[in-house]
Structures are given as C-alpha cells and as structure tokens.
C-alpha cells in the first residue's frame, strides 16, 4: 500500500512540474485572442472591410499562435494567465509582450523599449 502512495505522489509532482511547459506550448491565453484596435473608429473600419485593414491606424489580431496587423509575430511563451510574449516577424531578436490590464485594455510593449501601445477589444 505504501509503495502505491509513493508512486501516486511522484506522479502528481511530475504533472505539476510539466504543466507550465504544456501551457507554454498551447499558444496565447484565451483572454488575449481576438481583434484589438486603438479606437472604436478603427474597430468599425476593420469590421466593415477586414480585407482592407487601415494601414494608418493601429490594430492587432491575435490568434492562438500568431499576431497580425500593426505588429506581426509568432507566439513565444506564456507570461501569465493574461499575458504572453511573441517574436517579431521582421526581426527575430525583438520580443513583444502583450498583457491585459485594467479590465479589457491590451498593452503591447517591445522588450527594452520605453514606449508601449494600448488597444481595446473590438466587439
């Protein structure tokens, strides 16, 4: 009986250690996935004509593995339940963090940069 308990404890410990790695391979956290824009006007433009996305306005579309729009990149790792990091498609040495703060405001920060961008969810 004691041997089975030890095996169960070891198996539980291994699962808890493996869980963060599994989450990182899973892509962007669900709360980040969707269409985000700098303003309600930009959201309207994107909804009316998604094929003709405005190039003079800031917006991003986050899918489980990629970011497209003003920023384009690929999922790198989960930073928390409402945060993730991407690599930039144009320059792979640049990383970009996306984090939901203050409710539904998406913050985008280029690693090492002082400036950041804020987006609202397009509904």
């Amino acid at each position: 009986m004691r041997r089975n308990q030890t095996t169960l404890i070891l198996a539980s410990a291994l699962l808890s250690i493996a869980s963060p790695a599994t989450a990182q391979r899973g892509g962007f956290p669900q709360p980040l996935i969707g269409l985000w824009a700098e303003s309600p006007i930009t959201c309207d433009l994107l909804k009316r004509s998604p094929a003709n996305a405005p190039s003079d306005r800031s917006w991003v579309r986050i899918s489980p593995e990629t970011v497209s729009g003003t920023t384009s990149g690929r999922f790198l790792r989960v930073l928390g339940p409402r945060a993730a990091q991407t690599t930039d498609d144009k320059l792979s040495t640049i990383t970009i963090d996306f984090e939901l703060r203050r409710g539904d405001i998406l913050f985008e920060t280029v690693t090492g940069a002082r400036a950041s961008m804020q987006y609202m969810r397009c509904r």
Side-chain angles (χ1 to χ4, degrees), residues 29 32 43 46 62 81 88 92 99 101 113-114 117:
L32 298 177
C43 282
L46 289 166
I62 299 177
D88 185 80
S92 63
E99 180 182 7
R101 298 184 204 158
R114 291 178 182 212
M117 184 67 198

Side-chain angles (χ1 to χ4, degrees), residues 10-32:
L10 286 174
S12 296
L14 286 174
L15 283 174
S16 67
I17 291 169
S19 293
T22 302
Q24 287 187 14
R25 280 186 259 127
F28 284 97
Q30 188 61 40
L32 298 177

Side-chain angles (χ1 to χ4, degrees), residues 4 15-16 21 44 46 50 53 57-58 61 67 76 86-87 90-91 98 104 109:
N4 287 341
L15 283 174
S16 67
D44 260 0
L46 289 166
R57 297 180 174 269
S58 296
R61 181 181 307 276
V67 175
L76 185 61
T86 66
T87 57
K90 295 175 187 141
L91 193 56
F98 289 94
D104 247 4
T109 307

Side-chain angles (χ1 to χ4, degrees), residues 37-106:
E38 66 177 342
S39 70
I41 294 169
T42 304
C43 282
D44 260 0
L45 291 170
L46 289 166
K47 287 178 190 176
R48 275 193 244 147
S49 184
N52 297 319
S55 60
D56 62 335
R57 297 180 174 269
S58 296
W59 63 277
V60 291
R61 181 181 307 276
I62 299 177
S63 71
E65 292 292 328
T66 62
V67 175
S68 59
T70 306
T71 298
S72 62
R74 301 220 165 265
F75 171 79
L76 185 61
R77 72 175 128 278
V78 171
L79 300 174
R82 296 169 52 93
Q85 191 173 67
T86 66
T87 57
D88 185 80
D89 277 348
K90 295 175 187 141
L91 193 56
S92 63
T93 57
I94 293 177
T95 58
I96 302 150
D97 296 347
F98 289 94
E99 180 182 7
L100 272 177
R101 298 184 204 158
R102 293 185 280 191
D104 247 4
I105 304 295
L106 181 70

